[in-house]
Amino acid sequence: MASITFLFLIISFLSLKDRTIALSSSSCALQSANVEFTLSTASHSASNPTSSCSLQQCNITSSDNLTCSLSPTPCFNYRTANNISYCAPAIDCPVLQPCNNMTYSCASNDSVCIVNSCCSPIAVCLPLLTTNFCIRGWSMTGFMNVVRYAHTASTLLDGKVLVTGGYFSGRYLNSVEQYDPSTGVWIQTGNMNVARGLHTASTLLNGKVLVTGGIGNSGYLNSAELYDPSTGVWTQTGNMSFARYYHTASTLLDGKVLATGGYASNSYLNSAEQYNPSTGVWIQTGNMNVARQTHTASTLLNGKVLVTGGSGNSGYLNSAELYDPSTGVWTQTGNMSFARGYHTASTLLNGKVLVTGGDGNSGSLNSAELYDPSTGVWTQTGNMSFARGYHTASTLLDGKVLVTGGSGNSGYLNSAELYDPSTGVWTQTGNMSFARYYHTASTLLNGKVLVTGGYNGGIVWNSAELY
């Protein structure tokens, strides 16, 4: 019933009554149904290629790198005042409501103000549901209750996603909310005891979520707390031995959590410690060979933890090292080809680790490389289409890796691309609706990827979208 209602709403919205005629078989697939719609041929319409407006068909290669040309829907490029592009069908001006020409805002969060609609000089509100026709792969979902970036997102055992903390408007946040994939709705749950951002969150084997460290409104944090999904309540647990942010936290095969490195009190850290969920106590373990922050940590199939790159006292690092939980000892392994921090590391289904992008000593990187645990050797693989750091990387159920957003040498990114381990090739996929970095991406149990929040240099988002 919900899908039928949705189809009816879209058909109603795209039907332009007396001012339209049907063009050659325009349709697009939506939930296995073909929706036929009509496009305006009025002189000011986006569908008229001879009009003087600045709209371009999405299947024309342009500097916008629009990728929705693979949709069977005829699509056009709608642009906001801050140059974010949307792809949507041609829509007659009387259908669209004007937006505030001063603030470029719409009364509804379900619409976005566009400035190049050929309804100019009037800026108009484009309903985001219409972009579902043209954005390949991405669709908007419910908005979070709180605007935030530098937060965490954890997939719970029941498939819901828990978002914690972050930063907005000069303050770190203690607010928490849950996303239900079955409804697309966000519901606020119990607040953390401590406001924090740039922290870590780990889903434990017992289903609880452990949050550690970060930075709060009064400084660096060594505190940790547990969220119980069955009650929605946070309980403080043992403090770490060191305050730290820009650190990592890895769930080990035995259920313990390993915290490594980070930064606090004007010092890069090489310390590491383990949290035991059965006792709530942190125990210091062997120190890393190199002090570092903004690094990555990946639990390998053999149970060891691979730490890569980051920044330290001498700048960005290309070093990597392995932690053996059975001995508590760190061993240096092969160096990456490029020094990098703010990068990502993804454990692939074949056991190798894919490192992508990041910031290097000469700017953002588009390079990617693979670590083979059986040899300890790094091998360069295909470059991404865009240089980016502060992005996300998600291993999909089919083994491919989806990279989203981030910040590059030319600004903030809404682009996304897929890496195929079988070929070593990156392929651009549909752009997100919003450029964002310091966002999160969570692989859901149904295989979709949920992207939340983030920042584009001017706006902090509460929006979320699904790939």
Side-chain angles (χ1 to χ4, degrees):
M1 180 63 71
S3 62
I4 294 174
T5 303
F6 184 66
L7 293 177
F8 176 77
L9 288 173
I10 291 190
I11 293 170
S12 299
F13 183 86
L14 292 172
S15 296
L16 304 180
K17 300 182 181 179
D18 298 334
R19 301 175 55 84
T20 67
I21 60 173
L23 300 184
S24 55
S25 59
S26 299
S27 65
C28 69
L30 182 64
Q31 297 180 353
S32 301
N34 284 330
V35 182
E36 191 165 303
F37 60 94
T38 58
L39 303 178
S40 171
T41 56
S43 61
H44 62 273
S45 167
S47 66
N48 189 337
T50 63
S51 67
S52 60
C53 74
S54 60
L55 293 183
Q56 296 181 9
Q57 288 185 339
C58 297
N59 60 6
I60 295 177
T61 302
S62 72
S63 59
D64 291 315
N65 292 304
L66 296 171
T67 57
C68 51
S69 60
L70 297 181
S71 167
T73 307
C75 297
F76 299 88
N77 174 17
Y78 295 84
R79 199 166 29 80
T80 67
N82 56 352
N83 211 34
I84 297 173
S85 291
Y86 294 85
C87 299
I91 301 171
D92 207 10
C93 293
V95 176
L96 303 176
Q97 296 295 315
C99 56
N100 189 311
N101 270 310
M102 299 295 292
T103 62
Y104 296 108
S105 60
C106 296
S108 169
N109 281 336
D110 296 328
S111 296
V112 63
C113 182
I114 55 148
V115 297
N116 68 329
S117 68
C118 297
C119 301
S120 191
I122 301 171
V124 293
C125 292
L126 178 71
L128 289 172
L129 66 87
T130 64
T131 69
N132 290 339
F133 277 90
C134 303
I135 297 177
R136 183 167 67 90
W138 292 97
S139 61
M140 297 299 296
T141 188
F143 285 74
M144 294 187 294
N145 295 281
V146 178
V147 175
R148 63 181 88 223
Y149 70 101
H151 53 293
T152 65
S154 308
T155 302
L156 305 178
L157 299 187
D158 64 2
K160 295 178 181 178
V161 175
L162 182 76
V163 161
T164 71
Y167 186 82
F168 175 63
S169 191
R171 299 286 295 174
Y172 291 96
L173 308 170
N174 69 339
S175 66
V176 181
E177 46 193 308
Q178 278 192 25
Y179 175 79
D180 188 339
S182 67
T183 63
V185 174
W186 291 90
I187 297 177
Q188 289 182 299
T189 186
N191 288 343
M192 294 186 291
N193 294 283
V194 180
R196 61 183 87 218
L198 298 174
H199 53 295
T200 66
S202 308
T203 303
L204 306 180
L205 300 185
N206 60 13
K208 294 182 179 180
V209 175
L210 173 71
V211 161
T212 73
I215 186 169
N217 295 312
S218 57
Y220 307 114
L221 303 170
N222 70 336
S223 64
E225 45 192 307
L226 288 167
Y227 177 77
D228 188 338
S230 66
T231 62
V233 174
W234 290 89
T235 305
Q236 289 181 305
T237 189
N239 288 343
M240 294 186 293
S241 302
F242 296 90
R244 55 181 92 222
Y245 83 117
Y246 275 136
H247 58 297
T248 65
S250 308
T251 302
L252 306 178
L253 298 188
D254 63 3
K256 295 178 181 177
V257 175
L258 176 73
T260 71
Y263 186 85
S265 303
N266 300 316
S267 179
Y268 297 97
L269 304 174
N270 69 338
S271 63
E273 47 192 308
Q274 280 193 30
Y275 176 79
N276 188 336
S278 65
T279 63
V281 175
W282 291 89
I283 302 291
Q284 291 186 56
T285 187
N287 288 342
M288 294 187 293
N289 295 280
V290 179
R292 60 183 90 218
Q293 65 158 357
T294 68
H295 53 293
T296 65
S298 308
T299 303
L300 306 179
L301 300 185
N302 61 13
K304 294 182 180 180
V305 176
L306 174 72
V307 160
T308 73
S311 56
N313 295 311
S314 58
Y316 289 106
L317 306 168
N318 70 336
S319 64
E321 45 191 308
L322 287 167
Y323 176 76
D324 188 338
S326 66
T327 63
V329 174
W330 291 90
T331 305
Q332 289 181 302
T333 188
N335 288 342
M336 295 185 293
S337 301
F338 296 91
R340 60 182 89 220
Y342 304 101
H343 54 296
T344 64
S346 308
T347 303
L348 306 179
L349 300 186
N350 60 13
K352 294 182 179 180
V353 176
L354 174 73
V355 161
T356 70
D359 283 357
N361 294 312
S362 300
S364 298
L365 304 170
N366 71 336
S367 64
E369 42 192 311
L370 288 166
Y371 177 78
D372 188 338
S374 66
T375 62
V377 174
W378 292 90
T379 305
Q380 291 186 56
T381 188
N383 288 342
M384 295 186 293
S385 302
F386 296 91
R388 62 181 88 221
Y390 305 88
H391 53 295
T392 66
S394 308
T395 303
L396 306 180
L397 299 187
D398 63 3
K400 294 179 181 179
V401 176
L402 174 72
V403 161
T404 73
S407 174
N409 296 315
S410 58
Y412 304 100
L413 303 171
N414 70 336
S415 63
E417 43 193 310
L418 285 168
Y419 176 78
D420 188 338
S422 66
T423 62
V425 173
W426 291 90
T427 304
Q428 291 184 56
T429 188
N431 290 343
M432 296 185 293
S433 299
F434 300 99
R436 48 180 105 221
Y437 85 128
Y438 275 131
H439 56 297
T440 65
S442 308
T443 302
L444 306 180
L445 300 186
N446 60 13
K448 295 182 180 181
V449 175
L450 174 72
V451 165
T452 72
Y455 180 59
N456 75 346
I459 300 174
V460 182
W461 305 114
N462 68 336
S463 65
E465 43 193 311
L466 289 167
Y467 178 80

